[in-house]
Amino acid sequence: MWRKIYYSVLAAMYFGVVYVTHGSAAPVSISEPVVIRMMGQFGGKWKFLTIWNLLLQGLFFTICLLNDIIGTNEPNPKKTPIIRKVKDTLFTALAFPLSIFVGTTFWGIYAVDRELVFPKILDKYFPVWLNHVMHTNIMIFVLIEMAMNFRSYPKRKTGISILGVFMMCYLIWMHVIYHYSGVWVYPIFEVLNLPLRILFFVGLLVLIVVMYLIGEGLNNILWSNQIKAVKSNKAKKRH
């Protein structure tokens, strides 16, 4: 029962934050162009990867809840339900690497110069607790999920391909926003020239692949016995 309550709370928290941040437009004025740029214009709040990730986390923990109700968390079930396969694939290919990526890049850039990612003026509209839900909790709860449940990682090529397609979709979306609004989603891109911007994009794509590999490595360490059992069971079925 506690697991169902836990997953219900997490799903409600993430969907609730998306609703709050999307439904509560901050008052803006001509004297606050940063707020206008960050919270208005083409794309609204849907231009931020953070919001995409919050929706993804809400969806993932909803699937976790459904899996607890109609699926299974057994490491090596006789027949793996579809909901369990969806849960494992969503966590490994997107939920884990994306949350760690969003959290580490946000706080990393924030530590260097917060104006490049979250200008101080936004503190009036986004309280500290909300900022931590969006950029800190996302890392904490996927790490807890990593330790709570065994999951089967897909073939590395498959997992990274899913992640790559997702990131390319967001990259295209960023450029669509720039095309129609004339401003970059994140202020950091305004201080980079074209060659540095390309290098930065490539570096971010490499970084998120590293996050995927870190997740795979953690899973192998935490669930080594279960992984061996699954591989052994597959080998027996082949023979």
Side-chain angles (χ1 to χ4, degrees), residues 25 42 52 56 73 76 99 107 109 111 124 134 149 153 173 179 191 194 199 209 221:
F42 185 83
W52 284 36
L56 178 69
N73 288 298
N76 195 15
S99 284
W107 290 115
I109 297 172
K124 291 195 290 185
M134 294 190 295
N149 296 302
Y153 261 72
W173 175 232
H179 174 76
V191 301
L194 181 59
L199 284 175
V209 171
I221 292 171

Side-chain angles (χ1 to χ4, degrees), residues 194-208:
L194 181 59
L196 288 177
R197 200 179 302 135
I198 293 173
L199 284 175
F200 191 72
F201 284 139
V202 172
L204 291 178
L205 291 174
V206 170
L207 179 60
I208 199 166

Side-chain angles (χ1 to χ4, degrees), residues 13-14 44 46 59 70 78 101 114-115 125 146 159 179 183-184 207 221-222 233:
M13 177 181 69
Y14 288 126
W46 297 105
L59 174 63
I70 61 175
K78 291 182 178 179
F101 173 81
R114 66 169 297 179
E115 296 300 314
Y125 311 112
M146 175 68 78
H179 174 76
V183 295
W184 289 105
L207 179 60
I221 292 171
L222 292 171
N233 188 46

